[in-house]
Amino acid sequence: MTTEVPHPYSITVEPLTKPQGHYGWALRKHGKLAERSDRAFPSENKAFENAMKAVERDQGGFGSQ
């Protein structure tokens, strides 16, 4: 798994207090919060993979489907 996040994004994966043992992520663009996970993930890797999908969605822009 690659951990390289494209500029200008940064991803923070942190453990959640509830449910214990799960993780959430925050996506920042130019240092400002762009999106945050609304669900808990069982591992840091799963949370990071989901955050990278959010980056890909954001890079696509409006109407690029």
Side-chain angles (χ1 to χ4, degrees), residues 15-62:
L16 301 174
T17 54
K18 290 184 183 179
Q20 198 167 18
H22 285 74
Y23 297 85
W25 55 264
L27 174 64
R28 297 183 182 282
K29 184 175 181 181
H30 297 290
K32 295 184 179 183
L33 184 63
E35 193 173 338
R36 185 178 304 192
S37 63
D38 59 348
R39 54 178 77 160
F41 298 91
S43 70
E44 288 180 83
N45 287 340
K46 292 285 185 186
F48 185 82
E49 288 172 10
N50 190 264
M52 285 299 291
K53 288 178 186 176
V55 168
E56 292 168 6
R57 280 193 311 268
D58 194 61
Q59 283 182 328
F62 180 75

